[in-house]
Amino acid sequence: MGTAASAGQQEKISLLKVLGPVHVWALGVGIVLVGEYMGWNFSVAKGGAYGSLIACWVIGLLYTCVAMIDSEVTSTVAAAGGQYTQAKHIIGPLMAFNVGLYLVMAYTMLEAADALVVGDLLKAVAQQYGAELDPRPFVVLTIAFLAWMNYRGVFMTLTVNFVITAFAFIAILVLFFHATGLTDGHSVLLHRELLVDLPYGWIGVLASLQFGMWYYLGIEGTCQAAEEVRSAGRSIPMGTMGGMMTLLIAASLTWYICTGIIPWEYLGQATTPLYDAARLMGSVELEVMLFIGTMFAAIASANGCINDASRAWFSMSRDRYMPHWFGAVHPRYRTPYRSILFLIPIAVSFAFTGLLDQVITFSILSGLLGYTFMSFNIVRFRRLWPLGSIERGYVHPYHPIPCIVLGVLCAATYFATYLGYGTSLLSIMAFYILVSIWFVVRRYPFVKRGEQFTMPWPRPKGY
Amino acid sequence: MDMWSALEYGAWGLSVVLIGWMLVDARFVSTTYGEDFLLSSREGDE
């Protein structure tokens, strides 16, 4: 229990280091893969099929930069909190508070949206049998069950996530093999007939970048596991980069299948495009498989979000950026149990607003703010701890090109978001400015400044 | 009561059981262990 207590020393407790690269992959891909099952297709409505493909690859480049930068920094910061902890060490307290809040808001809202999806899918099943089903109890049950699993241990939580995420990914592969005729020699894809030029020109392509984020949103969550992996220097880069490769494949295949079966005017408005594609192929087995895949993808995403949001909240509380009480570790299960419990009513509240669009937009914007932070965080990290001054499990290549590319693509995505959700963008900026003022005036006096830096890092260059 | 209503009640019930179990366990942990111990985790600890 806890770390060994020798005579004369206070007994201490810590999170359990039991995870490997597979769990990191399951955490990252698990959060994201639901974006392949739904959400990405709104980029088709903005920019047409080709516009969506451009968004898929351009935003793929953005997230590849995120994955590379995150892998390098996190391979040195073996602590829960991910980007929050990075910001605390590299930039400063106010940035850390904001980044921590971006993470908690982004993951809790995504969790709520995922639970809403599970409820809506069950409601759709009931409607097929001519019955009316209230989705709310199933939304609450999804959140409660996943929180319970997270409460009882990270190993089982992410092992389950690996199984259901792998199923959801394999379902996409199976659909691809059937659609292209690799199984029976008969392709059902009609790209030549269905693909058209850019319907709204290049401004449509730019606007589609916002929804292109759905293909990969959340892969950066892998670094929340840094304190619970057996080897952060090995597992985080392997899990994150492996996850990114999986997502690039899944995103490209999803686009290829759906745009070859569903006309872009319909695809841009579909709720569950992959499931719809399976239904149009007329195979009951495929339809059932893709329905289960959709359900599993939403559950895996909510599960990973609970894991990540609770670790971010736990880390902030441990440093007293939030009430210290939430920084407790369960003595048996070795999980941040109070943070997990606290976030249940928050997620249920977001889900019960029923404002799926707004909840998702807030989640995406919080994520985007986090990526913007990463672009200048890595520059400062390399300056304060140059190569060779600190042990890195992974060194990302071609620095500073990835951080410049990341900054430019974030700026383009802000503009794209402004085109469609300008009010939301300004509202979220105002929200974070207000809470920053609260933090500086009311909360920071409670922070014990010396106690928040316990990582065995060398002194930064110039200090 | 049809099957769908039963499922709804079942989902509500199971949710209450799961959340209740966590609350009871959290209360038990708080009364069994000292706060200094529960809050003793530090980043970078092995």
Side-chain angles (χ1 to χ4, degrees):
Chain A
M1 180 186 297
T3 48
S6 56
Q9 277 188 324
Q10 187 199 352
E11 194 178 9
K12 290 174 75 177
I13 194 167
S14 59
L15 299 178
L16 210 52
K17 289 184 183 297
V18 288
L19 304 178
V22 163
H23 299 101
V24 175
W25 179 92
L27 178 61
V29 179
I31 291 174
V32 184
L33 206 60
V34 68
E36 264 70 347
Y37 278 86
M38 59 187 66
W40 69 272
N41 53 306
F42 298 131
S43 63
V44 176
K46 296 282 182 182
Y50 281 125
S52 175
L53 183 62
I54 295 168
C56 171
W57 288 343
V58 168
I59 297 295
L61 186 61
L62 182 155
Y63 276 91
T64 304
C65 295
V66 165
M68 290 198 303
I69 290 170
D70 244 5
S71 294
E72 176 174 332
V73 184
T74 310
S75 69
T76 67
V77 188
Q83 292 84 0
Y84 155 77
T85 310
Q86 298 174 18
K88 185 181 70 178
H89 283 275
I90 298 165
I91 308 286
L94 184 58
M95 188 76 241
F97 171 76
N98 273 282
V99 172
L101 214 52
Y102 302 158
L103 294 168
V104 174
M105 298 298 268
Y107 290 123
T108 308
M109 290 187 154
L110 193 52
E111 173 197 341
D114 291 327
L116 275 172
V117 167
V118 172
D120 287 344
L121 284 172
L122 291 172
K123 185 180 175 185
V125 171
Q127 278 173 343
Q128 284 190 350
Y129 289 95
E132 273 298 314
L133 186 76
D134 180 3
R136 288 177 305 170
F138 300 97
V139 170
V140 177
L141 180 60
T142 303
I143 293 171
F145 175 73
L146 296 175
W148 176 78
M149 207 159 58
N150 272 273
Y151 186 104
R152 289 180 59 93
V154 71
F155 186 82
M156 176 54 80
T157 300
L158 293 187
T159 302
V160 169
N161 235 39
F162 173 74
V163 173
I164 60 179
T165 302
F167 181 93
F169 178 64
I170 290 168
I172 296 175
L173 293 180
V174 170
L175 187 64
F176 172 76
F177 290 138
H178 277 271
T180 51
L182 290 174
T183 48
D184 57 5
H186 172 64
S187 171
V188 298
L189 299 174
L190 302 168
H191 286 113
R192 191 165 294 177
E193 293 81 359
L194 294 179
L195 288 181
V196 294
D197 286 341
L198 300 175
Y200 305 115
W202 284 97
I203 193 72
V205 176
L206 190 60
S208 69
L209 291 181
Q210 180 200 351
F211 292 104
M213 286 179 70
W214 272 98
Y215 286 113
Y216 316 97
L217 181 71
I219 184 65
E220 73 282 2
T222 51
C223 42
Q224 295 293 337
E227 199 164 318
E228 291 156 283
V229 289
R230 289 186 292 269
S231 166
R234 174 174 169 270
S235 298
I236 298 290
M238 276 184 74
T240 308
M241 302 304 281
M244 197 58 220
M245 289 175 207
T246 308
L247 292 173
L248 284 165
I249 293 168
S252 300
L253 294 186
T254 299
W255 179 90
Y256 188 72
I257 299 164
C258 291
T259 56
I261 295 178
I262 308 171
W264 76 272
E265 298 91 332
Y266 296 98
L267 183 58
Q269 299 172 37
T271 308
T272 50
L274 270 175
Y275 175 62
D276 293 348
R279 288 179 70 179
L280 287 171
M281 286 172 64
S283 160
V284 177
E285 290 83 6
L286 277 178
E287 191 180 330
V288 170
M289 189 171 193
L290 268 291
F291 177 82
I292 297 171
T294 309
M295 188 74 95
F296 276 5
I299 292 171
S301 181
N303 197 22
C305 285
I306 293 173
N307 180 90
D308 281 4
S310 61
R311 267 61 181 178
W313 190 258
F314 162 76
S315 299
M316 293 172 81
S317 305
R318 188 164 60 178
D319 296 330
R320 297 173 196 268
Y321 284 46
M322 288 296 164
H324 194 40
W325 188 80
F326 293 114
V329 174
H330 196 290
R332 183 175 176 197
Y333 305 125
R334 308 278 287 278
T335 52
Y337 70 110
R338 286 178 182 164
S339 295
I340 293 169
L341 261 174
F342 170 70
L343 292 172
I344 293 174
I346 310 282
V348 171
S349 306
F350 284 141
F352 275 20
T353 62
L355 303 171
L356 189 58
D357 267 9
Q358 293 301 320
V359 167
I360 287 171
T361 303
F362 206 101
S363 178
I364 287 178
L365 285 172
S366 295
L368 193 56
L369 286 166
Y371 309 145
T372 312
F373 145 76
M374 284 178 208
S375 61
F376 55 87
N377 182 55
I378 185 67
V379 174
R380 192 165 157 80
F381 179 62
R382 284 279 182 109
R383 195 178 296 155
L384 294 178
W385 288 278
L387 295 182
S389 67
I390 189 169
E391 191 181 337
R392 288 164 158 87
Y394 169 79
V395 177
H396 83 276
Y398 311 119
H399 177 77
I401 295 172
C403 67
I404 294 170
V405 171
L406 177 58
V408 170
L409 292 179
C410 281
T413 312
Y414 279 120
F415 181 67
T417 309
Y418 184 75
L419 292 176
Y421 289 84
T423 311
S424 298
L425 182 62
L426 296 176
S427 305
I428 193 172
M429 294 290 188
F431 169 77
Y432 283 116
I433 289 169
L434 284 175
V435 292
S436 294
I437 294 169
W438 171 82
F439 176 72
V440 171
V441 175
R442 299 298 298 272
R443 189 66 214 169
Y444 196 57
F446 292 97
V447 176
K448 293 186 177 176
R449 296 171 198 192
E451 285 186 13
Q452 54 181 323
F453 301 106
T454 54
M455 289 286 291
W457 274 17
R459 189 175 286 273
K461 190 179 173 187
Y463 284 82
Chain B
M1 186 166 65
D2 63 5
M3 183 188 79
W4 300 103
S5 299
L7 280 174
E8 285 174 15
Y9 284 119
W12 281 124
L14 195 52
S15 303
V16 169
V17 168
L18 291 169
I19 293 172
W21 185 91
M22 286 186 279
L23 287 171
V24 169
D25 183 73
R27 174 77 185 146
F28 172 75
V29 167
S30 294
T31 52
T32 308
Y33 297 88
E35 279 297 287
D36 286 346
F37 174 62
L38 296 175
L39 298 170
S40 62
S41 153
R42 295 287 177 271
E43 67 171 14
D45 275 351
E46 290 298 327

